[in-house]
Every structure is written in structure tokens, then in C-alpha cells.
Amino acid sequence: MTMNDDLIVRTVTRRMIPFLLLFGAYILLHGHIGAGGGFQAGIIITSAIILAAIGGDLKEIRSALSCRTLFAIGAVGSVGITLVGILGILAGGWFFQYGSLPLPYSQEIIHLIAITCVEIGIGVAVFGMMFLIFIAIAGGEE
Amino acid sequence: MNIIDPGFILGHYNYWVAIILIMIGLYTMIAKRNLIKKFIGLNIIETAIFLFYISLGDVTGGIAPIFAEGSTNPPDAVILYANPLPSAMMLTAIVVTLCMTALALSFAVLIYRRYKTLDARRLMELL
Amino acid sequence: MIWILNGALLLTLIVLALWALKSRDLLVSAMILSLYSFLMAIIYAQLNSPDIALTEAAVGAGITTVLFILAIQKTRRTEEETDDDQLQIGPLCVVLTIGAVLALAVAGMPAFGSPDSPGATVTGNLYLEEGQATTGVANIVTAIIAYYRSFDTLGEITVIFAVGIAIIGLYLKKQEGFDDDE
């Protein structure tokens, strides 16, 4: 896949990507109010970056987000979720029991914060791994 | 229960469609020899299973299990909500499906790179 | 009157699935699968699960299609010459048997959408009754995913992680010249 020569494709993708990223962030942070959550947000952000790779230059994206970086991003998300679970143990509860976290808020708010952290972790992990798969299949042969 | 009863047949129409889609997908997986065609059949089976579970959780006249903003009380019994548990389980299943499809397709690409064919029967001869 | 829309969508789904089965052009099959997933997302939204609808629209019509098209681009677009076009008796018998068994199982189930079916029972449902009071989350599906059944989520993330490791093992080894072709 080389640089896309079509002016319309390039312009439309460049204009659409910020809105897609914004929509992904909205889905990520409003998962507790409406439909959505970490997984959907990760997928939408991945599709935005895939659109950038298709409409723009795949090589540029590859140099900015190498396989190593993407694997590190995915691993950070996965480990982050586990850490949130372990925090529950450290605070004297069970694995993934957020209620006992020592934060100066009411029980509800603590749950909300922990759930949002888990959602963000899912989103980051899904983004890293899914884009890694795309990069690996698309650019396996140089 | 009367199998011929039209009310019985119409009352289960989502389930019948899910079964028909499972049959179509299974036929694609068994009869077609192209590996990518088999994966398409696999995807059809999986979406049919999701349809089955989501239909299980739905309730006539119910609404989605999202509470209106600001209401902190548990819902009164007048409002019917669809069961959220099938949705949550199928959300996990969709992730696993996506991962499985991605891994299967990358295997297919590697197989083609090495054996120059995706035909299952020809692959069995080559292996 | 919503069942007319629902029935039309479900019939379209069957037609699209058969079309994806019959087409010899794999690219056409992949695009049909994308359309199929999008219609399925509309049905999910109509069945009161907007989360699944959003996910199916993003995953089925988006990422899965991209991966299929990439794989088809890296391999070949048409099926190879085979004789699997006409109806084959053996697979048909297997499929019909399985379909009959499934139909018998469904025949014992309560009608779709009836309020007293076990799947749709709301009274005694812990998640609906105290989910919001415990977690402060308005969307109960999110509460189940991130709190009540967070072990499921941990398993799901483990699957994603394992797939990432598998992709690294499959592709990156090849790039470093560790190619054992024949």
C-alpha cells in the first residue's frame, strides 16, 4: 500500500479523522451514561487510525506506531486492568472489589472512578492489539 | 403444544431465523473449500448466536437497560427493562469472535504465502 | 407494527447470508458480510441492546470487513476452480440434522419477548434492582462488564493479549529473515 494519490480520498480522510477520534473519546467517557464503553471506543479509534493509514501514508503511520510500540500500548492496557483489580486486594477487599478503595468520596463515586479506569484500560488494550493485527497483516512484506 | 399453530411459529420467529442462519453458516463451513469462505461462514454462525441470546433477553414493551440520568432510585416495577446479562455476555463474545477472525485470517495469509493455495482439499494433499 | 420491520430485516439477513454463500468472488462475499452485520446491528438496536448494536456496527461492519479485505488482497480474489457449487448431500444432511435438533430445543422455549420467559424475567434480577444504587452507573451493561462480571472482562483482555502475542510470533519472526520456505 503506497501513498494514496486521489486528492478527494486524502482530503476527506484528513478531515474526518479528528471527528472519529472525538467520537471515540465520547464513547469511551460516556460508557456509564449511555451506550458504549471501552471496547467500542477502542474499535472506533482503531478504525480512525486505519482510515488514516489507508487514505494517507501507511509508512508514516508505521514509523510513528511501530509493532513494538503498539504491543507496549496493548500490554499497558491489559496490565492496567489487572492493577486496578489488585488495588482492590491491597485495600482489603477481593480482586476487583472497588468499594474498599481508600478515596475520600462516597461509595458510588469510587465505583464510578474504578469502572471508568477499567473502561479506559480496555480501550487502550483493544486499540493497541487490533492495530497491531492490522499493521502485521497489511505490511508483513516490505 | 401444537407445532402447526401459527401463533407458536410467529411467536418464535427470531429463534427460527437464528437457526436458519446457523444452518447456512454451518453449510458454508462444511461444504465450501476456500478457507476465507469458511471464515465468512463462521462469522455468520456467530452473529446468529448473538441474535439468539439477544432475543432471549428482550421483553415485549421493555426498554434498554439504561436508566434516565438523575434517577438514583431503583426502577419501579412499572417500567420493564430488557435483561442486561445477555448483552454483557455477548459483548465479551464479540471481542473473542473478532480476535478469532483476526488470527484465522492471518493464518490464512501465511498459508497462502507458503503453499499458494487456499483450497482446503489441495492443502490436505500438499501437507 | 414493529414486527413488520423486524421480519423484513430478518428475511433480508437470510437472503444476504445465502448470497455470501453462493458468490464465487470473495470480495463480494466480504462486502455482503459487512452489509449483513450492519442490518444485524439494526436488529440488535431494535431488540433493546444498544451496546451490542454499537459494537456490532463497529466490529462487524468495520474492523472485520477491513481484515477480510486485507486478507483477500494478500491472497487471491476468486475461489479456485472446484466442484463445490452444486448442493452436496453429505453436508446438507448434517446441517439439516443439527437444524432439526435446534428446532426441537427451541420448541420447548417460551415465546419470544414474553415477560415470563426465564431470560427476560426482571423481578429478582440483581443487576437491574440494585445495579445503579451500588455502582452509580446508569448503563447497567457497563456496570456488569466492569464490576459484577469483571473476571469475564479480564479473560477477554487476556484473549486479546494472547492474540497480540500470537501475531508477534507469526509475523515478526518472519521479518527478521527466519524464513524456512521449503
Side-chain angles (χ1 to χ4, degrees), chain A residues 39, chain B residues 46 50 89-102, chain C residues 152 155-157 159-160 163:
Chain A
F39 178 65
Chain B
E46 279 154 353
F50 302 153
M89 290 172 70
M90 287 308 108
L91 206 55
T92 312
I94 286 180
V95 183
V96 176
T97 300
L98 175 60
C99 289
M100 196 169 66
T101 309
Chain C
D152 283 13
E156 160 198 326
I157 289 297
V159 168
I160 296 177
V163 168

Side-chain angles (χ1 to χ4, degrees), chain A residues 65-135:
Chain A
L65 290 168
S66 68
C67 285
R68 225 167 272 275
T69 322
L70 284 170
F71 188 74
I73 291 174
V76 163
S78 316
V79 173
I81 294 171
T82 320
L83 280 183
V84 173
I86 290 175
L87 276 184
I89 296 182
L90 292 183
W94 304 315
F95 198 51
F96 276 118
Q97 191 190 25
Y98 314 128
S100 46
L101 291 179
L103 291 175
Y105 302 112
S106 68
Q107 198 79 344
E108 249 184 69
I109 306 290
I110 294 175
H111 277 118
L112 204 54
I113 291 170
I115 285 176
T116 309
C117 287
V118 169
E119 295 279 357
I120 291 174
I122 298 173
V124 169
V126 167
F127 164 70
M129 291 311 178
M130 284 301 139
F131 199 61
L132 172 66
I133 291 168
F134 173 80
I135 287 276

